[in-house]
Amino acid sequence: MSPALQVPWALAAAVATLAAAAWLRQPAVPALVGCALATIAAGAITRPRADRGRWRAGFVASLALFCALAVVSQRAIQRVESDWDAYAAGLRGRALSAMRAQLTVVAEELRAASVRALRAPADPALAARELASLAAGRVGERGVVLYRGGAAAAWGGRLRISLDTLQRPFGAGVNAFYLVLYAVSAQHGDVAVAAATVHAEPPAGRLAPALDHIVTEQTGVGGFEFGPPQPAAGDSVFTFAPGGGQALFSVRARPLVPGETLLRVTEQARVRGAAALALALVCFTVALWRRRADLRVRLLALLVALAVLGVVPLNALSNISQLFDPSFYFAPLGGPFTASVGALGLSSGILLLALLAVLRSPIRFPSRWVALLVVLAIAGTGPFLLRELSRGISPPTWGVSVRLWLAWEVTLFLAAVSLLLAGASAGRAALGGRRGLAPTAAPLLAGFAALLAPLILDASGRWPAWYSGLWIAAIGALALTRRARGIVLAAAAVAAFGATTLVWGATARQRVQLAERDIEGLGSADPYARSLLERFESDLSRDAPSSRAELLQRYVTSDLAAAGYLPRLTSWAPGAAAPTAELLMSPIAGRPPSLAEVVAEARERRAPVMRAAPSLYGVQLLLAVPDDSGAVTAVVVPPRSRLAPDDPFSTLLGLAPEVATEPPYTLSLVEADPAVAAASESASGPRVRWQREGNELHG
């Protein structure tokens, strides 16, 4: 591309990119039109066969894809906002068509699998291997069992219902949690049954990949409801009869409410659009970073990328990756550029590229005194600036995974190495022709400071005030290093030591604070748990659960489960003096003596009753909710605390945490020591007194 066209192309591409970022922030037609027009202008200037022309063509193609995706999403958003009834009807119709097609395919596959199972070898081990291959690699969860001589001879996959008395060619089995479609084949006294899980009630859906869950994810409806066969089926429901035979069950699609649908459509649009925009930014940057490109052009590309980071709501991608979740990292220091670990990493990477471009350019400091002032500023403020960035680290209460730890490390490393390279460049200018320190001096000093950090950490998770002076000296030593090819490696080593120390120190302090907040929460009723109980109350008042399975289903679909509260739920039949069903999610959720009184009061008043009651593990919340029949559902919510031991059976209920990590702290009950209690009292009330014992902190 000729130099005369380079600037117009760069401006058109920059406008298109910023307009796309504005659309991701707030989907609107003007931003989409601006992006499309600027993309057309950039495409008209592009010469694919010219120098870097392929990257320019890649940029245009990426933004064209972005515009196409955005048009589809914008139309869906407008339909949800302006014509919800028609949109919901179309959504249900597409979902039902997809579900009918999947059920038809699954039924045929089950029939074929049951026929093939009859030809399994006589040897039980070989037969089991054959049946396992029939159940594997299919949509949803499958299972196959072969009966010979009236007994199960071999089976493969997973079976969620009893298959002992099935005699139909096709059938449906139902229990408290599962709906299973099965096919039966028989030959010479042998019977083979192939089954597929169609629907799983919570929390069983976390254990079994049911067919309706897969279709729900593909179509975007709120789920499917299954019931007995209906003689007349309309547009919102169909009755499934495999092979035109006996009707087995009816299927109804349940769309999301308008607000949830709008949120889902917008989130999907942002995820797809962000991927296309990221690809366009890479092409844009490479296209402008040709070998002999002007520094101003290179900095323009990075400035556009930085502006995109400031405009695009990266936190909206938190459901996709923890890197963009502000609950794991948030530093208000840099606004949107430090609002998540992903934002900080991308911003630091862009600034590092800009710094490298400036260092490789002919630009120099105007005088040695200016360079010296820059060195003093970076050495004096650098450790404190990086410390402020590290304070944005927020470990989750369930522990830190290796992936999250490395994300913190890498982002702080990028920020630190950018700062240190700037200081080293200024230091070389300040030294002029003088030799300076050896390249190994700064890394050795930083390594010494990093090794010293765990030795001098005090009982509250902090370092003494003089410790920052070691890092100031390390940064100063790096700035006064003589000219050498290894200066970049020296800066990287100092930055690596600093990032490791900062992450380790920040997590140590945060673990102390998490433990203190946990203990403070034991002394009073949790207001957040109270608000969640009020929401749960409306669900229980409509229809009281009467069995342990129903209690479990109500709990796992409530906000209490989503927030991590582990209650005790009991069901009381009309007039009963003791619970008829009970579900215990945590051993610390005891049944207080006053629970029967609260249940009796709710039954007498015919209205929900909520109370706070003390227990050995803190203040519990009690809720009793009656229904019209006189049955009462009672909920006991203990404080959300690590005092509760992990339940080994939670995995069987599908409630185990997704990532098992080392807990950030442990709590235990010990005998009260009057001397410790007296020393821990302060003017504002009880406080935690910490002491260090070897490599552990105790409070």
Side-chain angles (χ1 to χ4, degrees):
M1 179 177 290
S2 64
L5 295 178
Q6 180 177 350
V7 174
W9 185 90
L11 292 177
V15 171
T17 304
L18 293 176
W23 188 88
L24 288 177
R25 185 176 187 86
Q26 182 61 51
V29 175
L32 183 55
V33 171
C35 177
L37 293 178
T39 302
I40 293 173
I45 304 174
T46 299
R47 299 293 183 268
R49 296 185 179 180
D51 181 32
R52 301 279 170 163
R54 294 181 179 179
W55 289 102
R56 294 185 176 90
F59 169 83
V60 174
S62 300
L63 272 193
L65 175 62
F66 173 90
C67 292
L69 295 173
V71 167
V72 175
S73 300
Q74 187 72 51
R75 184 172 179 271
I77 291 172
Q78 291 180 344
R79 289 189 62 197
V80 172
E81 293 178 337
S82 60
D83 193 3
W84 166 248
D85 292 337
Y87 183 85
L91 193 65
R92 285 195 300 266
R94 291 190 297 271
L96 286 175
S97 297
M99 190 65 187
R100 186 196 297 270
Q102 285 286 3
L103 285 172
T104 302
V105 172
V106 168
E108 182 59 29
E109 290 177 348
L110 292 178
R111 188 196 62 79
S114 64
V115 172
R116 288 184 57 187
L118 292 173
R119 299 195 294 267
D123 181 80
L126 296 178
R129 188 179 305 172
E130 175 71 17
L131 298 188
S133 65
L134 293 177
R138 304 291 183 179
V139 176
E141 185 180 62
R142 305 287 179 95
V144 183
V145 61
L146 174 62
Y147 296 93
R148 284 174 174 165
W155 56 87
R158 292 184 177 179
L159 304 170
R160 298 294 177 176
I161 63 172
S162 175
L163 300 178
D164 294 335
T165 59
L166 307 179
Q167 299 297 329
R168 303 174 184 175
F170 286 101
V174 182
N175 59 21
F177 291 98
Y178 298 102
L179 168 64
V180 174
L181 174 66
Y182 62 84
V184 182
S185 296
Q187 184 180 21
H188 305 305
D190 296 342
V191 178
V193 183
T197 303
V198 176
H199 173 70
E201 288 288 333
R206 305 180 187 182
L207 301 174
L211 178 64
D212 67 333
H213 177 73
I214 298 173
V215 179
T216 297
E217 292 295 323
Q218 294 174 348
T219 57
V221 293
F224 292 91
E225 298 175 351
F226 297 85
Q230 296 184 7
D235 296 335
S236 60
V237 61
F238 74 87
T239 296
F240 181 63
Q246 182 179 1
L248 300 181
F249 49 81
S250 62
V251 185
R252 184 186 303 274
R254 185 178 64 251
L256 299 169
V257 298
E260 291 177 330
T261 303
L262 182 61
L263 183 62
R264 179 169 182 161
V265 171
T266 305
E267 180 179 324
Q268 291 177 347
R270 282 173 172 161
V271 171
R272 297 168 182 170
L277 181 57
L279 180 60
L281 269 178
V282 171
C283 296
F284 176 74
T285 304
V286 175
L288 294 184
W289 272 58
R290 67 183 192 278
R291 182 173 300 178
R292 297 182 180 180
D294 186 79
L295 177 62
R296 292 171 296 181
V297 175
R298 292 188 171 188
L299 293 182
L300 172 64
L302 297 179
L303 181 62
V304 170
L306 200 62
V308 167
L309 288 182
V311 175
V312 174
L314 295 178
N315 292 351
L317 306 177
S318 58
N319 290 336
I320 305 301
S321 173
Q322 292 180 346
L323 296 179
F324 303 107
D325 194 336
S327 61
F328 299 132
Y329 181 89
F330 177 79
L333 181 64
F337 303 106
T338 58
S340 64
V341 66
L344 176 61
L346 292 173
S347 304
S348 300
I350 292 173
L351 291 178
L352 180 59
L353 281 177
L355 177 62
L356 293 175
V358 172
L359 293 180
R360 296 186 62 182
S361 69
I363 297 179
R364 296 292 180 266
F365 285 95
S367 68
R368 294 172 57 184
W369 291 107
V370 174
L372 182 60
L373 290 177
V374 172
V375 171
L376 294 176
I378 291 178
T381 63
F384 303 101
L385 174 63
L386 295 174
R387 185 183 63 183
E388 288 298 318
L389 290 177
S390 69
R391 287 178 176 174
I393 294 175
S394 180
T397 56
W398 60 82
V400 179
S401 64
V402 175
R403 181 182 302 178
L404 186 57
W405 183 280
L406 290 177
W408 290 333
E409 291 266 12
V410 171
T411 51
L412 286 179
F413 167 78
L414 291 175
V417 77
S418 302
L419 190 68
L420 295 178
L421 278 179
S425 175
R428 290 200 304 270
L431 288 175
R434 302 179 183 179
R435 291 183 56 82
L437 300 176
T440 58
L444 289 175
L445 188 56
F448 171 74
L451 292 174
L452 188 62
L455 302 178
I456 62 175
L457 189 75
D458 63 21
S460 62
R462 301 183 183 279
W463 288 298
W466 56 265
Y467 180 67
S468 299
L470 291 178
W471 289 103
I472 294 176
I475 296 176
L478 180 67
L480 298 178
T481 299
R482 65 173 178 263
R483 293 180 180 272
R485 293 183 177 180
I487 188 64
V488 175
L489 294 178
V494 175
F497 284 127
T500 302
T501 305
L502 287 171
V503 172
W504 183 82
T507 53
R509 288 190 299 271
Q510 290 290 336
R511 291 162 75 179
V512 167
Q513 294 175 10
L514 286 173
E516 290 183 350
R517 286 198 295 267
D518 192 337
I519 295 172
E520 291 173 359
L522 299 177
S524 60
D526 189 342
Y528 184 48
R530 185 184 295 272
S531 64
L532 296 182
L533 267 179
E534 292 173 352
R535 299 182 196 173
F536 197 26
E537 170 190 311
S538 61
D539 178 50
L540 296 175
S541 60
R542 292 193 297 268
D543 182 22
S546 58
S547 66
R548 190 168 182 266
E550 292 179 358
L551 290 173
L552 177 60
Q553 291 173 0
R554 295 294 183 89
Y555 164 68
V556 297
T557 56
S558 69
D559 293 331
L560 286 173
Y565 288 94
L566 303 174
R568 175 190 289 263
L569 293 90
T570 53
S571 178
W572 305 62
T580 54
E582 188 169 33
L583 176 67
L584 179 61
M585 302 306 304
S586 170
I588 72 170
R591 191 197 303 173
S594 59
L595 181 60
E597 300 175 3
V598 175
V599 170
E601 182 180 353
R603 186 179 288 154
E604 180 181 357
R605 293 174 50 186
R606 294 184 177 273
V609 176
M610 187 182 299
R611 295 281 187 273
S615 70
L616 180 62
Y617 298 97
V619 177
Q620 299 184 133
L621 284 173
L622 313 181
L623 172 67
V625 183
D627 68 356
D628 296 336
S629 67
V632 178
T633 306
V635 186
V636 180
V637 181
R640 189 168 47 180
S641 170
R642 291 210 63 84
L643 274 177
D646 293 332
D647 185 2
F649 298 101
S650 59
T651 302
L652 300 178
L653 300 176
L655 300 176
E658 295 183 0
V659 180
T661 60
E662 181 184 359
Y665 60 91
T666 58
L667 293 183
S668 58
L669 293 177
V670 297
E671 292 293 333
D673 187 341
V676 173
S680 299
E681 291 289 339
S682 63
S684 59
R687 63 179 178 84
V688 181
R689 185 170 63 106
W690 292 93
Q691 60 185 11
R692 179 167 179 169
E693 299 178 6
N695 62 348
E696 295 180 345
L697 302 179
H698 293 265

